[in-house]
Structures are given as C-alpha cells and as structure tokens.
C-alpha cells in the first residue's frame, strides 16, 4: 500500500512561486503561504508546485531574485478573523 498526501489546497487559483534562496536551495511557495517547501533542484520544486496546485503550470511563477521560504505567513482572511 502506497501512502500519499492529498494536495494542500483544493482551489487551483493561487499562484505558486519558485526560485532559489540565498543558500542555492529551490523554494516553492503558494503566494499566501498556505504551503511550501525546500528542494534540491528545480524539477522537484516544479513537481511539488504542480501537485499542490492541481496540475496548473500556468500559475507557477519562477522568480529571478532570491526567495526565502516563509512558513509563518498567514492569509489575509485568517488575519482579519483574528483581529476582531
């Protein structure tokens, strides 16, 4: 039996950015910080992004500048619900 994790986000409308961090690792992260990870090569970062966004390569953006994985970001709707 092979176990796998389902995609983190069912909506395929969120942009996933990929790029390298200052240590040369590849980063893939959803624009609102809902999911992301570090990868040893570009192919694995793209494969992860495609899996998570429902196989939509048109909403993957590769950055030329450095990008750091930020797992402490919160979505706008989550922040708004906690302010009240």
């Amino acid at each position: 039996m092979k176990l796998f994790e389902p995609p983190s986000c069912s909506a395929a409308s969120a942009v996933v950015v990929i790029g390298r961090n200052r240590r040369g690792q590849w980063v893939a992260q959803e624009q609102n910080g809902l999911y992301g990870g570090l990868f040893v090569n570009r192919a694995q970062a793209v494969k992860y992004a495609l899996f998570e966004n429902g196989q939509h390569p048109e909403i993957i953006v590769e950055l030329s500048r450095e990008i750091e994985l930020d797992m402490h970001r919160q979505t706008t709707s989550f922040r708004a619900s906690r302010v009240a």
Side-chain angles (χ1 to χ4, degrees):
M1 184 163 98
K2 194 172 192 179
L3 298 176
F4 67 94
E5 289 187 41
S8 299
C9 182
S10 60
S13 61
V15 172
V16 180
V17 293
I18 65 169
R20 288 183 180 239
N21 65 15
R22 69 185 108 134
R23 292 169 300 286
Q25 300 163 311
W26 282 89
V27 174
Q29 185 158 14
E30 190 269 340
Q31 67 182 353
N32 296 315
L34 294 176
Y35 54 83
L38 293 175
F39 304 90
V40 295
N41 59 45
R42 181 184 181 277
Q44 290 300 310
V46 170
K47 182 177 177 179
Y48 171 80
L50 287 169
F51 177 76
E52 290 291 347
N53 78 8
Q55 303 299 317
H56 293 275
E58 68 277 8
I59 55 175
I60 297 174
V61 176
E62 186 171 343
L63 301 178
S64 58
R65 63 175 174 80
E66 288 182 351
I67 178 176
E68 295 297 329
L69 182 63
D70 183 0
M71 298 305 290
H72 299 289
R73 291 167 62 184
Q74 298 174 339
T75 63
T76 304
S77 60
F78 180 73
R79 269 191 245 135
S81 67
R82 298 227 15 202
V83 173

